[in-house]
Amino acid sequence: MGDDRYFGLPAKANATFQKLVNGNPLVAGDEDQLRILLSRHIIVPDQEAAGLIPKNAVLPRVCRDLTLQRRRATITICARAVAAELLSARMLRRRQLCEVKQSIETRRSLIPIDRSGTTENCVGEIAEAFEWSRLIFSSKDRCLVRSLAFVSVCIDLRQHVSLVLGVTASPFSAHCWVQRDDCVLNDTVERVRPFTPILVI
């Protein structure tokens, strides 16, 4: 994350990594691949660990979205959406993704989360505001900017949501969306379901 990139492993390194994940025995030919995995910090040594302990991007599988549950957005919320998108675009130009991640986590920890029964209505209104923002900003190749902005507005309004980065392997592509539980908030189920989450913030 510090390098602001993600990548697919070479075939041999991936085969060795899959053996580790699945608890299968390694053979002599895996030693060189282990060195590659260690040098890239994909795995790290731990003297106390009994085996490989992967850190997974775990979220419920997406099975619903807000397509039919958006609420009429006020001018204030629409203005927040536009401002947040401008600020997110600026932040991504000036900061690395790891810094953006830290900023989100810090803000989230400092702001009390609204656990009242009005949260669904609030998120529906935010979703509608970002639909209106498409009239100002093109949504093409802006999924990360838009999702960061969506999360920012949600945090301001004390809504607990997750930013998700996912990939597909063949052909390789990447996408970003906002999710709460099993619901995608700023996209559709059909659009995000092909992607495997690799990072949840």
Side-chain angles (χ1 to χ4, degrees):
M1 183 177 289
D3 295 330
D4 270 0
R5 63 189 178 93
Y6 40 77
F7 52 84
L9 289 172
K12 290 182 179 179
N14 183 58
T16 299
F17 181 74
Q18 293 300 327
K19 289 179 184 178
L20 290 170
V21 171
N22 296 316
N24 297 329
L26 302 178
V27 299
D30 290 317
E31 292 179 3
D32 289 341
Q33 305 309 318
L34 281 175
R35 280 192 283 272
I36 292 173
L37 295 172
L38 286 165
S39 68
R40 293 190 177 187
H41 304 289
I42 295 168
I43 60 174
V44 294
D46 186 337
Q47 299 297 327
E48 298 181 2
L52 184 69
I53 306 174
K55 184 176 180 180
N56 297 321
V58 178
L59 272 180
R61 179 176 171 80
V62 167
C63 64
R64 60 194 178 98
D65 55 46
L66 292 180
T67 302
L68 301 178
Q69 295 178 288
R70 296 194 186 106
R71 303 282 177 168
R72 184 173 181 177
T74 64
I75 294 177
T76 300
I77 296 295
C78 290
R80 279 179 180 263
V82 170
E85 196 158 342
L86 289 169
L87 289 172
S88 293
R90 181 182 179 185
M91 180 169 58
L92 285 173
R93 288 193 298 268
R94 298 187 174 190
R95 296 187 186 182
Q96 293 184 320
L97 185 57
C98 58
E99 295 175 305
V100 174
K101 176 178 180 290
Q102 183 62 48
S103 174
I104 291 173
E105 291 173 341
T106 300
R107 288 182 59 205
R108 184 185 287 148
S109 68
L110 295 175
I111 297 175
I113 301 302
D114 185 356
R115 302 293 185 184
S116 71
T118 63
T119 57
E120 291 297 328
N121 290 344
C122 185
V123 171
E125 187 177 350
I126 296 169
E128 180 65 14
F130 277 90
E131 281 300 303
W132 278 102
S133 76
R134 292 177 188 267
L135 299 175
I136 301 174
F137 306 108
S138 169
S139 59
K140 184 178 181 180
D141 298 328
R142 288 175 62 88
C143 61
L144 180 55
V145 170
R146 289 177 59 81
S147 294
L148 282 171
F150 195 106
V151 169
S152 180
V153 174
C154 284
I155 292 175
D156 285 345
L157 298 177
R158 301 189 301 169
Q159 304 301 308
H160 189 277
V161 299
S162 297
L163 179 74
V164 186
L165 279 74
V167 298
T168 59
S170 182
F172 179 83
S173 62
H175 191 43
C176 183
W177 65 93
V178 182
Q179 184 174 334
R180 181 160 66 185
D181 300 326
D182 62 354
C183 183
V184 58
L185 305 178
N186 66 334
D187 215 322
T188 64
V189 172
E190 291 75 16
R191 171 69 175 134
V192 307
R193 186 166 280 173
F195 294 89
T196 300
I198 61 169
L199 177 66
V200 178
I201 303 173

